[in-house]
Amino acid sequence: MERRMSVATHWGSFVAVVDSGRLVRIEPRPDDPAPSSIAPGMVTAAEDSARVLRPAVRKGWLDGTPRVDGGARGSDAFVEVGWDEAITLVSEELRRVRSRHGDGAVFGGSYGWASAGRFHHAQGQLHRFLALGGGFTDSRNTYSTAALEVILPHVIGGHPWSYQSRMPMWDEIAENGELVVAFGGLALKNSQINPGGLAKHQTQDLQRRCREAGVRFVNVSPIRGDAAGFLDAEWLPVIPNTDTAAMLGIAHTMLVNGWHDEDFLSRCCVGFDRFAAYLVGEVDGVRKDAAWAAGITGIDAEAITDLARRLTSKRSVIMVNYAVQRADHGEQPIWMSVVLAAMAGSMGRPGGGWGAGYATMDATGVARGRVSVATIPAVPNPVADFIPVARIADTLLHPGEFIDYDGARLTLPELRLIYWCGGNPFHHHQDLHRLSRAWQVPDTVVVHEAWWNTTAKFADIVLPVATGLERDDFAAGFSDPHLVAMPKVREPAGESRTDHQIFAALAARLGFEAEFTESRSESEWVRHLYERTRAELGDDALPGFDDFWRISTAALPPLTGPFPGDLADLRADPGRFPLATPSGRIEIFSAAIDSFGYDDCAGHPTWFEPAEWLRADLSDRFPLHLISNQPASRLHSQYDNGGHSLGSKIRGREPLTMNPADAAARGIQNGMIVRVHNDRGSCLAGVILSDDLMPGVVQLATGAWWDPVRPGQSGTMDRHGNPNVLTADRPCSRLSQGPSALSALVDVEPYDGTPPDVLAFAPPRITPPS
Ligand SMILES: Nc1nc2c(c(=O)[nH]1)N[C@H]1C(S)=C(S)[C@@H](COP(=O)(O)OP(=O)(O)OC[C@H]3O[C@@H](n4cnc5c(=O)[nH]c(N)nc54)[C@H](O)[C@@H]3O)O[C@H]1N2
Ligand SMILES: Nc1nc2c(c(=O)[nH]1)N[C@H]1C(S)=C(S)[C@@H](COP(=O)(O)OP(=O)(O)OC[C@H]3O[C@@H](n4cnc5c(=O)[nH]c(N)nc54)[C@H](O)[C@@H]3O)O[C@H]1N2
Ligand SMILES: [Mo]
């Protein structure tokens, strides 16, 4: 008999159809106007041959005395062991590393998206376990927006993500806005996603409503498809990584024509004079006029002038996406976009001003926030050391060295044990060959994974975990604020256990089980977190747990604010409503950043040439700019083995989009298998030709499971198409130390001969113990 059960994921809420305990299919919810196509493919992936079925230990690690020989990580065979032995190995190794090298030698940053669910939150479980056990070195900021997170508090104050509640929402733009200029576009493919889940996808309808209300859209991006067709957006192709120069050219034009909002700049901002001196060339002898900007960005001077005029004469919004800041000097386009909006005259006015991340996730621009929902409780980490998230390879390779970070000096700690749970560094980190060299350094790498992806293959101990379909939990929506039940819709594959069960067993062995579990079972935890949320909201706000579990969704009350740092308040009365910056105003010039004395991040927005871009010397050898953006067919590397992603491949390879002119010059035709390469590495990909991509640019989405021909050998070709074999592991600047994945040059050539089989989804060799 068929049963229908609720499913919640980062790509939306769905209905699972289960027959006699078997998951048959996953269907969209009838009330979701734009369901994601990722979910149906979860069914076959749940039991494909890539599943990790039993705990497994790398052979060289198991046989090693002492167990510190890293050399073969990534190429070694694995030995399967029982859970009892696995728990013994991990708990003893944690004890050894802590007593010999200190608690800070355990790295638990474990960046990654894991799965939706308030209780089974992988990093939350790991951090709680490691903190109770003595502590761990953590990581700070995200691969998504590290540069933004560090620069914005200097410029507009407040929590790094508070801009999400301070920028105009889509419905306000529909009502009051006239012009949206979107640097990096508004790719709808990205708003399939919302961290932690969502009940309904809303961005598409909201964008449509803006267009129907007459709002004009300008898509400043190398890719036309970054704006939906129904927006009728003007497309201004921009040379990647030059948005700051484009914005400076617009700002200069506003300034010399006197179109800028002098009142707002003088009352609500500080440092415009210093910045204006830079704009007109008093600082470096270079006038940042429209012609200058045109020479850098590839956008016509007339178009730049026209934007300056329209931005200042209409109710306008300047939007920036996140990709523009995952680049060399990525702090600059974010800072400069705020300055440009402050000049344009709509800042702090209804439906106008500035905002970031619209359409990058469904909730952004949809709701200002959500009431707080209980999650697995955090425990303070006794270790204070942290690393900027993208500096993991540097840390492993250069312990003891110093790096700058937001005005501080950090010593890179010596890490002996890496514990990763809920992320995939061998997808997400830049320059994977460098990462795989760094990865040989620590004594031990422990990974919880459901699939034999590359991170699992590069581990010493792999513990198989149940997926979000294989445990009871509930998710919290954001854009359409609902709690969504996540009952277990299938049994865990093989001998998989939940992250929580694994940590509870380890905590028992290490003597702190009661502290870790608080003596609750998993189902008691889920009920407890729900009931705590309900109690905090007042008993009438939500149904009791049993009713919620039966009806599957419960609406959360709206978050009504106040939202500190509101820009309309600032415009109205900056004395009464100062921002949380040192000056209380928007910092066009930041004395704090200036005082750091960095050569790669000055006291005001500045154009710095990226290390790799189309006008760099390196472009003589590698003349194409690689855009490694988010995949339309999956979330990062998740469900690359699912049907939707597999269906997007070209003869098993990740699709690479290129302009027909660039292809013709290289003898490349549509559908061909090509080799994409630079000095850092190479990968195969299948070509799609498109005029919707500007010449000189190629696009290869992230997330194809890395498939090195000779794992462990530097530079070895990737058969599958992971762009991070080509990207540079270079910080944005000394300020944020963020990742700069979008600054990479490559070349592409036809691949001669029969391409090797893709083995990305094949498990490693499993051998009997010796
Ligand atoms: N070149 C380039 N690189 C990039 C980017 C880019 O634009 N260009 N973007 C960056 C960005 S924005 C991000 S956010 C990162 C994303 O990087 P990640 O967040 O690391 O990527 P995911 O593929 O989501 O990895 C999540 C992993 O957790 C596993 N998992 C899922 N649920 C659970 C669970 O319950 N328990 C456990 N133990 N594991 C679970 C999944 O199987 C998967 O392997 O990538 C970054 N990398
Ligand atoms: N389907 C899907 N959606 C996702 C994700 C996913 O994995 N899959 N990941 C989610 C996550 S974790 C994040 S952080 C967000 C990321 O959100 P974003 O960073 O905004 O997303 P991207 O797709 O990386 O980039 C969007 C577009 O920016 C353009 N772009 C790249 N470089 C430049 C540049 O230098 N200048 C300009 N003007 N444009 C440029 C590219 O054409 C690209 O298509 O997406 C989220 N949404
Ligand atoms: Mo991200």
Side-chain angles (χ1 to χ4, degrees), residues 111 113 142-145 322 326 361 630 635-636:
Y111 181 83
W113 267 59
T142 64
Y143 276 81
S144 312
T145 56
Y322 298 152
R326 276 198 304 283
M361 301 186 194
Q630 314 299 311
L635 173 64
H636 315 130

Side-chain angles (χ1 to χ4, degrees), residues 343-361:
M343 293 176 73
S346 296
M347 192 80 124
R349 297 206 152 107
W354 172 90
Y358 292 93
T360 60
M361 301 186 194

Side-chain angles (χ1 to χ4, degrees), residues 189-190 220 226 241 243 321 323 326 360 629-631 634 636:
K189 68 176 171 67
N190 288 350
V220 186
D226 285 337
N241 294 189
D243 300 83
N321 78 347
R326 276 198 304 283
T360 60
N629 57 352
Q630 314 299 311
R634 55 184 176 260
H636 315 130

Side-chain angles (χ1 to χ4, degrees), residues 417-473:
L417 186 149
I418 294 182
Y419 207 126
W420 221 290
C421 174
N424 186 358
F426 280 86
H427 130 69
H428 71 224
H429 193 65
Q430 285 59 63
D431 196 348
L432 290 176
H433 291 294
R434 183 167 189 260
L435 181 67
S436 66
R437 287 194 296 279
W439 213 249
Q440 309 300 339
V441 173
D443 298 354
T444 300
V445 179
V446 183
V447 166
H448 292 192
E449 250 304 335
W451 286 279
W452 280 110
N453 63 11
T454 325
T455 294
K457 288 174 183 167
F458 271 81
D460 296 319
I461 302 177
V462 182
L463 303 179
V465 286
T467 69
L469 298 173
E470 298 169 347
R471 58 202 188 196
D472 289 338
D473 207 341

Side-chain angles (χ1 to χ4, degrees), residues 590-640:
S590 161
I593 294 178
D594 189 56
S595 75
F596 301 158
Y598 297 154
D599 53 359
D600 52 8
C601 187
H604 56 70
T606 306
W607 162 247
F608 293 97
E609 279 197 28
E612 296 185 33
W613 67 304
L614 287 175
R615 303 260 152 85
D617 292 344
L618 190 68
S619 67
D620 293 345
R621 291 177 54 224
F622 300 111
L624 299 171
H625 195 116
L626 173 69
I627 300 281
S628 52
N629 57 352
Q630 314 299 311
S633 57
R634 55 184 176 260
L635 173 64
H636 315 130
S637 70
Q638 298 197 41
Y639 292 100
D640 189 31

